[in-house]
């Protein structure tokens, strides 16, 4: 028979501190009881959301980093999600994974129409002598840490508070591509990224970090439609790298947002935009200079 396992189940969109607590509890129990640690993760939220906090690739990378033995990904939609709770529990959790402990959040539910509630799961686990660990939501001051709350903060551009809930800076990745080069003409060349269209991107101008491989540079990032120029409402992140000379390679690039400076706005002319960008760059340089000396 398959070696017994400790299983964590969830969507884990964002991989915030609450998610990491749940997964780490699973890993710890598995290690202490000589079990396999298995993380069952939904490919994306079942209910439609305005944007993903973590793409599929980002989420899997974070879970792998924590050190799980195995990761099972459930597609959305899928037969597993649409089957009755009894079948999911008996065929998948009990027979296939030989589960000995189940760890999940208090609001977890599974199966068709979410009929597999926490109470239902507790009852089934007791019948099979399986341990249940229901993890209460973590709180940041008086507010519980949740993907939906983080999503609200991101849409407001509050990336500083988002970082405190995630345990890392909010980021996105993409492959650089060339546009018309308006930034270069203004004296501020940018790296424009093609980002997964499902990824939630907060509009505005941000102090940021940009990295490619081991290289990390201070930068300034604009996320928006560049209303001064015609882009037909297509949202594109473009990053100006501070004190950087040379050609940025067309390889996977990551941008981390540190602080929002201002909203994106339409300027009367390219010259007016250039003046504003100069002010933004000066403010960003001061920010990095201050944090370097702290």
């Amino acid at each position: 028979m398959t070696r017994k396992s400790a299983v964590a189940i969830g969507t884990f969109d964002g991989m915030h501190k609450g998610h990491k607590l749940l997964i780490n509890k699973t890993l710890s129990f598995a290690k202490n009881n000589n079990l396999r640690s298995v993380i069952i993760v939904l490919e994306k939220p079942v209910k439609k959301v305005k944007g993903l906090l973590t793409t599929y690739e980002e989420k899997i990378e974070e879970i792998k980093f924590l050190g799980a033995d195995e990761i099972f990904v459930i597609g959305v939609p899928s037969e597993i999600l649409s089957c009755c709770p009894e079948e999911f529990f008996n065929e998948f959790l009990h027979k296939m994974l030989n589960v000995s402990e189940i760890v999940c959040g208090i609001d977890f539910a599974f199966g068709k129409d979410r009929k597999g509630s926490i109470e239902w799961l507790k009852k089934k686990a007791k019948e099979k002598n399986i341990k249940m660990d229901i993890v209460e939501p973590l709180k940041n001051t008086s507010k519980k840490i949740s993907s939906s709350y983080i999503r609200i903060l991101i849409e407001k551009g509050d990336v500083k508070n988002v970082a405190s809930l995630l345990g890392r800076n909010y980021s996105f990745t993409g492959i650089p591509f060339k546009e018309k080069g308006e930034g270069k003409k203004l004296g501020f060349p940018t790296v424009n990224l093609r980002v997964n269209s499902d990824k939630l991107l907060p509009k505005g101008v941000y102090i940021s970090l940009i990295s490619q491989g081991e290289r990390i540079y201070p930068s300034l990032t604009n996320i928006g439609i560049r209303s001064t120029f015609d882009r037909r409402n297509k949202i594109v992140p473009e990053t100006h790298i501070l004190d950087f000379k040379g050609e940025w390679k067309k390889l996977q690039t990551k941008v981390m947002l540190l602080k929002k400076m201002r909203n994106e706005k339409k300027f009367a002319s390219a010259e007016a935009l250039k003046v504003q960008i100069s002010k933004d760059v000066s403010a960003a340089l001061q920010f990095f200079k201050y944090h370097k000396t702290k």
Side-chain angles (χ1 to χ4, degrees):
M1 182 181 263
T2 306
R3 183 179 160 205
K4 287 188 174 183
S5 64
V7 174
I9 314 175
T11 304
F12 304 123
D13 184 29
M15 279 299 294
H16 56 61
K17 287 181 176 179
H19 294 148
K20 289 176 183 175
L21 171 65
L22 192 153
I23 291 173
N24 281 327
K25 277 195 170 191
T26 308
L27 301 184
S28 179
F29 186 87
K31 183 178 179 181
N32 294 334
N33 293 276
N34 194 30
L35 305 172
R36 289 182 301 148
S37 57
V38 179
I39 311 302
I40 301 173
V41 56
L42 271 62
E43 177 190 10
K44 60 183 179 181
V46 175
K47 293 182 179 178
K48 189 173 181 179
V49 294
K50 289 184 178 179
L52 298 179
L53 303 179
T54 43
T55 63
Y56 169 77
E57 292 80 10
E58 290 169 340
K59 184 161 55 176
I60 297 302
E61 183 182 348
E62 287 287 332
I63 295 173
K64 282 182 177 178
F65 180 77
L66 294 177
D69 291 326
E70 296 177 37
I71 302 172
F72 274 87
V73 179
I74 297 178
V76 178
S78 69
E79 287 184 15
I80 292 177
L81 289 178
S82 60
C83 72
C84 67
E86 194 86 27
E87 186 179 348
F88 180 88
F89 185 91
N90 290 333
E91 299 301 320
F92 186 57
L93 294 179
H94 184 53
K95 290 183 181 178
M96 184 175 172
L97 298 182
N98 196 14
V99 63
S100 180
E101 183 190 45
I102 299 171
V103 185
C104 56
I106 197 167
D107 57 351
F108 175 75
F110 65 96
K112 188 176 181 181
D113 301 324
R114 292 173 62 86
K115 289 179 180 178
S117 64
I118 286 293
E119 291 307 314
W120 186 94
L121 192 56
K122 279 182 182 178
K123 183 180 177 182
K124 290 298 295 182
K126 189 175 181 181
E127 288 175 9
K128 301 290 186 181
N129 198 29
I130 295 169
K131 180 178 171 58
M132 280 285 296
D133 192 349
I134 310 300
V135 180
E136 294 283 342
L138 277 181
K139 288 189 175 181
N140 183 48
T141 61
S142 61
K143 195 80 175 176
K144 78 172 185 177
I145 300 175
S146 69
S147 299
S148 55
Y149 177 50
I150 292 171
R151 200 169 280 110
I152 290 170
L153 292 179
I154 289 173
E155 289 189 294
K156 290 179 179 177
D158 190 357
V159 293
K160 186 176 180 182
N161 272 323
V162 166
S164 70
L165 304 183
L166 294 178
R168 65 187 186 283
N169 293 310
Y170 190 66
S171 64
F172 54 87
T173 59
I175 300 295
F177 71 98
K178 285 192 179 293
E179 280 207 307
K180 296 177 182 178
E182 285 105 344
K184 191 172 184 179
K185 292 173 188 174
L186 294 173
F188 303 98
T190 60
V191 175
N192 307 309
L193 295 183
R194 272 189 226 290
V195 178
N196 187 316
S197 59
D198 290 331
K199 178 77 175 185
L200 182 62
L201 295 176
K203 292 181 183 178
V205 178
Y206 296 83
I207 293 172
S208 58
L209 292 170
I210 187 169
S211 67
Q212 196 174 80
E214 298 299 316
R215 302 186 303 167
I216 302 177
Y217 297 95
S219 57
L220 184 69
T221 297
N222 178 81
I223 302 173
I225 60 174
R226 290 186 69 197
S227 49
T228 304
F229 304 100
D230 177 29
R231 189 182 263 150
R232 299 179 183 179
N233 295 324
K234 184 180 178 183
I235 296 176
V236 172
E238 49 186 347
T239 299
H240 173 65
I241 310 172
L242 305 176
D243 295 330
F244 175 80
K245 288 182 173 61
E247 195 72 23
W248 194 259
K249 294 179 181 178
K250 288 187 178 181
L251 300 173
Q252 186 83 336
T253 296
K254 182 176 184 179
V255 173
M256 293 153 276
L257 304 178
L258 306 184
K259 180 183 178 182
K260 185 174 183 178
M261 298 182 67
R262 62 177 176 85
N263 292 328
E264 188 187 38
K265 61 178 286 190
K266 185 171 184 175
F267 292 88
S269 65
E271 189 58 37
L273 173 60
K274 183 177 179 180
V275 170
Q276 181 61 59
I277 295 175
S278 295
K279 292 178 181 178
D280 294 338
V281 168
S282 295
L285 287 169
Q286 281 298 115
F287 172 89
F288 285 111
K289 183 179 179 182
Y290 170 76
H291 285 272
K292 189 176 181 180
T293 57
K294 281 186 73 176

